[in-house]
Amino acid sequence: MSDRGDSAGPDSASNPESPVVETVIVPRAHDIGGMEVRRALPSARRQMVGPFIFWDQMGPARFPLGEGIDVRPHPHIGLSTLTYLFEGEIMHRDSLGTAQPIRPGEVNWMTAGRGIVHSERTATELRAGGAALYGIQAWIALPKADEDTAPGFTHLGSGALPTIEAEGKRVRVVAGTLWGETSPVPSFSEMIYADAILETGSKLPVPAEHEERAVYVVEGTVSIAGDRFECGRLLILHPGDAVTVEAVSNARVLVLGGEPMDGPRFICWNFVASSKERIEAAKADWKAGRFDVVPDDSEEFIPLPER
């Protein structure tokens, strides 16, 4: 998703008193026209967690009758986007000719590779009844060897994702491998991404098999090693420590992470790359109209920001 403006980065602080939580990031909220967005990554203190380089919470929002989101066609390179909703619906269209709505519990996985253009809008028929939207959009940086891969798109229904139910928790493995279950999302690197709904008092173990891990508290309050954390916090965990998240109240948390990327990444507007030269080339291509257009949504686009 794009067309969001550039508010100040998230608030973050080291957490020296916690034996397992290294950094707490409180996303800065900003309004993009009827919907609040909270961005946790990138932040001033932490650009990435594993391959995750961008983390936005969209909503929860309920739009006035006749309104919704209209994210005009815009380009990406060097990343995959993963859109995952709790409520509402988004119509995704891209320059491959894809036209796919995404609904709660489903996954839209779009690989930009060497370049793709897409739009995200609320369908006309949903606007008439008062549309809602609540979910997460993440960007996952591609390894250097895959930055120029062909663009692609995969949609997975909620029934395609492995689900674990036990002892007061329901966990869906959105991407990667966790607790012996593997998502069919075609990721390019080792990663974890899971959605856990926890009843009060239930416990969620977070294994230490990946070096970089974080827990995002979507709803409720949780406790880790005796410290309480409210919703709207991204908790960066110390490497190497097995961690248990306990629900102080009914809660929903997302677990994300993976192995460190194979070198630093540059991020500018909607572009991610391992070199500044790739970024500059993509900016020039978009400005010159050299990207492919989105079928059935080619009348408008987001211009390259001039800054």
Side-chain angles (χ1 to χ4, degrees):
M1 190 168 282
S2 184
D3 208 13
R4 296 180 176 180
D6 286 303
S7 65
D11 291 325
S12 62
S14 60
N15 203 34
E17 296 181 359
S18 172
V20 293
V21 177
E22 179 181 283
T23 304
V24 179
I25 296 175
V26 182
R28 289 278 180 89
H30 59 283
D31 189 274
I32 62 168
M35 183 177 72
E36 186 177 78
V37 172
R38 296 176 177 270
R39 182 166 300 161
L41 293 175
S43 78
R45 293 181 60 89
R46 188 70 177 241
Q47 184 192 51
M48 306 176 71
V49 179
F52 290 84
I53 196 168
F54 181 96
W55 186 270
D56 259 13
Q57 176 182 320
M58 306 173 287
R62 188 161 296 278
F63 300 98
L65 293 179
E67 297 185 14
I69 65 165
D70 279 298
V71 181
R72 297 164 291 163
H74 58 280
H76 291 286
I77 67 164
L79 56 87
S80 294
T81 64
L82 196 162
T83 306
Y84 184 75
L85 300 183
F86 310 130
E87 183 183 9
E89 180 177 319
I90 296 174
M91 172 56 76
H92 163 99
R93 288 187 171 87
D94 62 42
S95 50
L96 300 174
T98 308
Q100 175 65 58
I102 179 172
R103 302 180 177 95
E106 301 177 344
V107 168
N108 272 6
W109 173 271
M110 183 187 75
T111 297
R114 59 177 174 261
I116 199 169
V117 181
H118 76 139
S119 65
E120 297 156 296
R121 300 184 187 269
T122 302
T124 302
E125 60 271 19
L126 295 178
R127 297 171 191 251
L133 188 62
Y134 184 22
I136 301 289
Q137 186 170 91
W139 294 0
I140 293 93
L142 294 174
K144 290 179 181 178
D146 299 301
E147 284 185 305
D148 285 328
T149 194
F153 179 86
T154 298
H155 174 82
L156 294 168
S158 58
L161 302 179
T163 301
I164 305 160
E165 295 190 54
E167 300 174 333
K169 54 183 174 285
R170 184 173 189 269
V171 184
R172 176 177 283 135
V173 181
V174 178
T177 299
L178 200 59
W179 302 298
E181 299 286 349
T182 299
S183 166
V185 167
S187 56
F188 287 80
S189 55
E190 293 294 323
M191 59 182 287
I192 54 173
Y193 186 5
D195 172 21
I197 298 174
L198 310 175
E199 296 177 3
T200 302
S202 64
K203 297 180 179 181
L204 179 73
V206 181
E209 58 197 59
H210 293 290
E211 182 175 344
E212 298 186 355
R213 302 159 299 152
V215 173
Y216 185 71
V217 186
V218 182
E219 298 171 356
T221 302
V222 301
S223 173
I224 300 178
D227 293 324
R228 290 193 175 198
F229 301 97
E230 305 294 328
C231 64
R233 306 289 189 272
L234 181 67
L235 314 176
I236 311 296
L237 305 179
H238 283 293
D241 295 328
V243 174
T244 298
V245 178
E246 182 172 357
V248 177
S249 64
N250 288 344
R252 186 171 202 161
V253 302
L254 301 177
V255 179
L256 61 141
E259 295 310 303
M261 287 302 295
D262 53 356
R265 289 297 184 273
F266 299 95
I267 181 169
C268 180
W269 192 39
N270 302 313
F271 304 132
V272 170
S274 60
S275 71
K276 292 182 178 180
E277 291 75 17
R278 288 176 184 267
I279 298 282
E280 291 304 314
K283 289 164 64 175
D285 286 343
W286 182 245
K287 192 170 185 178
R290 289 190 286 265
F291 277 82
D292 293 336
V293 300
V294 178
D296 299 319
D297 197 352
S298 59
E299 297 300 315
E300 54 182 357
F301 63 92
I302 302 176
L304 181 73
E306 296 292 346
R307 63 178 186 273

